[in-house]
Coordinates of all heavy atoms in Angstrom, one line a residue:
Q377 N -65.3 4.1 -4.1 CA -65.7 4.6 -2.8 C -66.9 3.9 -2.3 O -67.0 3.7 -0.9 CB -65.8 6.1 -2.8 CG -65.8 6.7 -1.4 CD -65.4 8.2 -1.3 OE1 -64.8 8.7 -2.3 NE2 -65.9 8.9 -0.3
A378 N -67.8 3.6 -2.9 CA -69.1 2.9 -2.6 C -68.8 1.5 -2.0 O -69.5 1.0 -1.1 CB -70.1 2.7 -3.7
R379 N -67.6 0.9 -2.4 CA -67.2 -0.4 -1.9 C -67.0 -0.3 -0.3 O -66.9 -1.4 0.3 CB -66.1 -1.0 -2.6 CG -66.3 -1.2 -4.1 CD -65.3 -2.1 -4.7 NE -65.6 -2.3 -6.1 CZ -64.9 -1.6 -7.1 NH1 -64.2 -0.7 -6.8 NH2 -65.2 -1.9 -8.4
Q380 N -66.7 0.9 0.1 CA -66.5 1.0 1.5 C -67.8 0.9 2.4 O -67.7 0.9 3.6 CB -65.8 2.3 1.8 CG -64.6 2.6 1.2 CD -63.9 4.1 1.4 OE1 -64.3 4.6 2.4 NE2 -63.1 4.4 0.5
Y381 N -68.8 0.8 1.7 CA -70.2 0.7 2.5 C -70.9 -0.5 2.0 O -72.1 -0.4 1.3 CB -71.0 2.0 2.1 CG -70.3 3.2 2.5 CD1 -69.6 4.0 1.6 CD2 -70.3 3.8 3.8 CE1 -68.8 5.1 1.9 CE2 -69.6 4.9 4.1 CZ -68.9 5.5 3.2 OH -68.2 6.8 3.4
P382 N -70.4 -1.8 2.3 CA -71.0 -3.0 1.9 C -72.6 -3.0 2.2 O -72.9 -2.9 3.2 CB -70.4 -4.1 2.7 CG -69.0 -3.5 3.1 CD -69.4 -2.0 3.2
G383 N -73.3 -3.4 1.2 CA -74.7 -3.5 1.4 C -75.5 -2.2 1.1 O -76.8 -2.2 0.9
Q384 N -74.7 -1.1 1.0 CA -75.3 0.3 0.7 C -74.7 1.0 -0.4 O -74.8 2.1 -0.5 CB -75.1 1.1 2.1 CG -75.8 0.5 3.4 CD -75.4 1.4 4.5 OE1 -74.3 1.7 4.9 NE2 -76.5 1.8 5.3
E385 N -74.2 0.2 -1.3 CA -73.5 0.8 -2.5 C -74.5 1.6 -3.3 O -74.1 2.7 -3.8 CB -72.9 -0.4 -3.4 CG -71.7 -1.1 -2.8 CD -72.1 -2.2 -1.9 OE1 -73.3 -2.5 -1.7 OE2 -71.3 -3.0 -1.6
R386 N -75.7 1.1 -3.5 CA -76.7 1.8 -4.4 C -77.0 3.1 -3.7 O -77.1 4.3 -4.3 CB -77.8 0.9 -4.6 CG -78.9 1.7 -5.5 CD -80.1 0.7 -5.8 NE -79.7 -0.3 -6.6 CZ -79.5 -0.4 -7.9 NH1 -79.8 0.6 -8.6 NH2 -79.2 -1.5 -8.5
E387 N -77.2 3.1 -2.3 CA -77.7 4.4 -1.7 C -76.5 5.3 -1.7 O -76.9 6.6 -1.8 CB -78.0 4.0 -0.2 CG -79.3 3.3 0.0 CD -79.1 1.7 -0.1 OE1 -78.0 1.3 -0.6 OE2 -79.9 1.0 0.3
F388 N -75.3 4.9 -1.6 CA -74.2 5.9 -1.6 C -74.1 6.5 -3.0 O -73.8 7.7 -3.1 CB -72.8 5.1 -1.3 CG -71.6 6.0 -1.4 CD1 -71.3 6.9 -0.3 CD2 -70.9 6.1 -2.5 CE1 -70.2 7.8 -0.4 CE2 -69.7 6.8 -2.5 CZ -69.4 7.6 -1.5
F389 N -74.2 5.6 -4.1 CA -74.2 6.1 -5.3 C -75.2 7.1 -5.7 O -74.9 8.3 -6.3 CB -74.4 4.9 -6.3 CG -74.0 5.2 -7.7 CD1 -72.6 4.9 -8.1 CD2 -74.8 5.8 -8.7 CE1 -72.2 5.1 -9.5 CE2 -74.4 5.9 -10.0 CZ -73.0 5.7 -10.3
E390 N -76.4 7.0 -5.2 CA -77.6 8.0 -5.4 C -77.2 9.3 -4.6 O -77.5 10.4 -5.0 CB -78.8 7.3 -5.0 CG -79.4 6.3 -6.0 CD -79.4 6.8 -7.3 OE1 -79.9 7.9 -7.5 OE2 -79.1 6.1 -8.4
Y391 N -76.6 8.9 -3.4 CA -76.4 10.3 -2.5 C -75.4 11.1 -3.3 O -75.6 12.4 -3.2 CB -75.8 9.8 -1.3 CG -75.1 10.9 -0.4 CD1 -76.0 11.8 0.2 CD2 -73.8 11.0 -0.3 CE1 -75.4 12.9 1.0 CE2 -73.2 12.0 0.4 CZ -74.0 12.9 1.1 OH -73.4 13.9 1.8
V392 N -74.4 10.5 -3.9 CA -73.3 11.3 -4.6 C -74.0 12.0 -5.8 O -73.6 13.2 -6.0 CB -72.1 10.5 -4.9 CG1 -71.1 11.3 -5.8 CG2 -71.4 10.0 -3.8
R393 N -74.7 11.3 -6.5 CA -75.4 11.9 -7.7 C -76.2 13.1 -7.4 O -76.5 13.9 -8.2 CB -76.1 10.7 -8.5 CG -75.3 9.7 -9.1 CD -74.5 10.4 -10.2 NE -73.7 9.5 -11.1 CZ -72.8 9.8 -11.8 NH1 -72.5 11.0 -12.0 NH2 -72.1 8.9 -12.6
Q394 N -76.8 13.1 -6.3 CA -77.7 14.0 -5.8 C -77.0 15.3 -5.0 O -77.7 16.2 -4.6 CB -79.0 13.7 -5.0 CG -79.7 12.7 -5.9 CD -80.8 12.0 -5.0 OE1 -81.1 12.4 -4.0 NE2 -81.3 10.9 -5.6
N395 N -75.8 15.1 -4.9 CA -75.0 16.0 -4.0 C -73.8 16.7 -4.8 O -72.8 16.1 -4.8 CB -74.5 15.3 -2.7 CG -74.0 16.4 -1.7 OD1 -73.2 17.3 -2.0 ND2 -74.1 16.0 -0.5
P396 N -74.1 17.8 -5.3 CA -73.0 18.6 -6.2 C -71.8 18.8 -5.4 O -70.6 18.7 -6.1 CB -73.7 19.8 -6.5 CG -75.1 19.5 -6.5 CD -75.3 18.6 -5.3
Q397 N -71.8 19.2 -4.2 CA -70.6 19.4 -3.3 C -69.8 18.1 -3.2 O -68.5 18.2 -3.3 CB -71.0 19.9 -2.0 CG -69.8 20.4 -1.2 CD -70.2 21.0 0.2 OE1 -71.4 21.1 0.5 NE2 -69.1 21.4 1.1
M398 N -70.4 17.0 -3.0 CA -69.8 15.7 -2.9 C -69.1 15.4 -4.2 O -68.0 14.9 -4.2 CB -70.7 14.6 -2.4 CG -70.1 13.3 -2.1 SD -69.1 13.3 -0.6 CE -68.7 11.6 -0.5
Q399 N -69.8 15.7 -5.2 CA -69.3 15.3 -6.6 C -68.0 16.1 -6.8 O -67.0 15.7 -7.4 CB -70.4 15.7 -7.7 CG -71.5 14.8 -7.7 CD -72.5 15.2 -8.7 OE1 -72.2 15.7 -9.8 NE2 -73.8 15.0 -8.4
Q400 N -68.0 17.4 -6.4 CA -66.8 18.3 -6.6 C -65.6 17.7 -5.8 O -64.5 17.8 -6.2 CB -67.2 19.7 -6.1 CG -66.0 20.7 -6.4 CD -65.4 20.8 -7.8 OE1 -66.2 20.5 -8.8 NE2 -64.1 21.0 -7.8
Q401 N -66.0 17.3 -4.5 CA -64.9 16.8 -3.7 C -64.2 15.5 -4.3 O -63.1 15.3 -4.2 CB -65.4 16.4 -2.4 CG -65.8 17.6 -1.5 CD -66.5 17.2 -0.2 OE1 -66.6 16.0 0.1 NE2 -66.8 18.2 0.7
M402 N -65.0 14.8 -5.0 CA -64.4 13.6 -5.7 C -63.8 13.9 -7.0 O -62.9 13.2 -7.4 CB -65.6 12.6 -5.8 CG -66.2 12.1 -4.6 SD -67.4 10.7 -4.8 CE -66.4 9.4 -5.2
R403 N -64.3 14.9 -7.7 CA -63.8 15.3 -9.0 C -62.5 16.0 -8.9 O -61.5 15.7 -9.8 CB -64.8 16.1 -9.7 CG -64.3 16.6 -11.1 CD -65.3 17.5 -11.8 NE -66.4 16.8 -12.3 CZ -67.7 16.8 -11.8 NH1 -67.9 17.5 -10.7 NH2 -68.6 16.0 -12.3
A404 N -62.3 16.7 -7.8 CA -61.0 17.6 -7.7 C -59.7 16.8 -7.7 O -58.8 17.2 -8.5 CB -61.1 18.4 -6.3
P405 N -59.6 15.7 -6.9 CA -58.3 14.9 -7.1 C -58.1 14.2 -8.4 O -57.0 14.0 -8.8 CB -58.4 13.9 -5.9 CG -59.8 13.7 -5.6 CD -60.5 15.2 -5.9
I406 N -59.2 13.8 -9.1 CA -59.1 13.2 -10.3 C -58.5 14.3 -11.3 O -57.5 14.0 -12.1 CB -60.3 12.7 -10.9 CG1 -60.9 11.7 -9.9 CG2 -60.2 12.0 -12.1 CD1 -62.3 11.2 -10.2
F407 N -59.1 15.5 -11.3 CA -58.7 16.6 -12.2 C -57.2 16.8 -11.9 O -56.5 17.0 -12.8 CB -59.5 17.8 -11.8 CG -59.1 19.0 -12.6 CD1 -59.6 19.2 -14.0 CD2 -58.3 20.0 -12.1 CE1 -59.1 20.4 -14.7 CE2 -58.0 21.1 -12.8 CZ -58.4 21.3 -14.1
E408 N -56.8 17.0 -10.6 CA -55.5 17.4 -10.3 C -54.4 16.3 -10.8 O -53.5 16.6 -11.4 CB -55.2 17.4 -8.8 CG -53.9 17.9 -8.3 CD -53.8 18.1 -6.8 OE1 -54.5 19.1 -6.4 OE2 -53.2 17.2 -6.1
D409 N -54.8 15.0 -10.7 CA -54.0 14.0 -11.2 C -53.7 14.1 -12.7 O -52.7 13.8 -13.3 CB -54.4 12.6 -10.8 CG -54.1 12.2 -9.3 OD1 -53.1 12.9 -8.8 OD2 -54.7 11.4 -8.7
K410 N -54.9 14.3 -13.3 CA -54.8 14.4 -14.8 C -54.0 15.7 -15.3 O -53.2 15.6 -16.3 CB -56.2 14.6 -15.4 CG -57.1 13.3 -15.2 CD -58.4 13.3 -16.0 CE -58.2 13.1 -17.5 NZ -59.5 12.9 -18.1
V411 N -54.0 16.7 -14.5 CA -53.2 17.9 -14.9 C -51.7 17.6 -14.6 O -50.8 17.9 -15.3 CB -53.6 19.2 -14.0 CG1 -52.7 20.3 -14.3 CG2 -55.0 19.6 -14.2
V412 N -51.5 16.9 -13.4 CA -50.1 16.5 -13.2 C -49.6 15.6 -14.2 O -48.4 15.8 -14.7 CB -50.0 15.7 -11.8 CG1 -48.7 14.9 -11.6 CG2 -50.2 16.6 -10.6
D413 N -50.4 14.6 -14.8 CA -49.8 13.7 -16.0 C -49.7 14.6 -17.1 O -48.7 14.3 -17.8 CB -51.0 12.7 -16.2 CG -51.2 11.7 -15.2 OD1 -50.2 11.5 -14.4 OD2 -52.3 11.1 -15.1
H414 N -50.4 15.6 -17.4 CA -50.2 16.5 -18.4 C -48.9 17.2 -18.4 O -48.1 17.3 -19.3 CB -51.4 17.6 -18.5 CG -51.2 18.6 -19.6 ND1 -51.5 18.4 -20.9 CD2 -50.8 19.9 -19.4 CE1 -51.2 19.5 -21.6 NE2 -50.8 20.4 -20.8
I415 N -48.5 17.6 -17.3 CA -47.2 18.5 -17.0 C -46.1 17.4 -17.2 O -45.0 17.8 -17.9 CB -47.2 19.1 -15.6 CG1 -48.3 20.1 -15.6 CG2 -45.9 19.9 -15.5 CD1 -48.5 20.7 -14.2
V416 N -46.3 16.2 -16.5 CA -45.2 15.3 -16.6 C -44.8 14.9 -18.0 O -43.7 14.7 -18.4 CB -45.7 14.0 -15.7 CG1 -44.6 12.9 -16.0 CG2 -45.6 14.4 -14.2

Side-chain angles (χ1 to χ4, degrees):
Q377 194 158 335
R379 294 192 184 99
Q380 300 177 23
Y381 307 93
Q384 298 179 307
E385 291 89 348
R386 183 178 295 276
E387 290 85 346
F388 178 82
F389 198 91
E390 289 303 317
Y391 167 74
V392 174
R393 284 301 185 194
Q394 297 173 15
N395 190 322
Q397 185 176 358
M398 185 71 172
Q399 291 176 38
Q400 181 54 32
Q401 289 177 2
M402 299 184 72
R403 182 180 285 104
I406 303 174
F407 176 83
E408 181 175 291
D409 279 343
K410 295 187 74 170
V411 176
V412 166
D413 289 340
H414 173 75
I415 303 171
V416 170

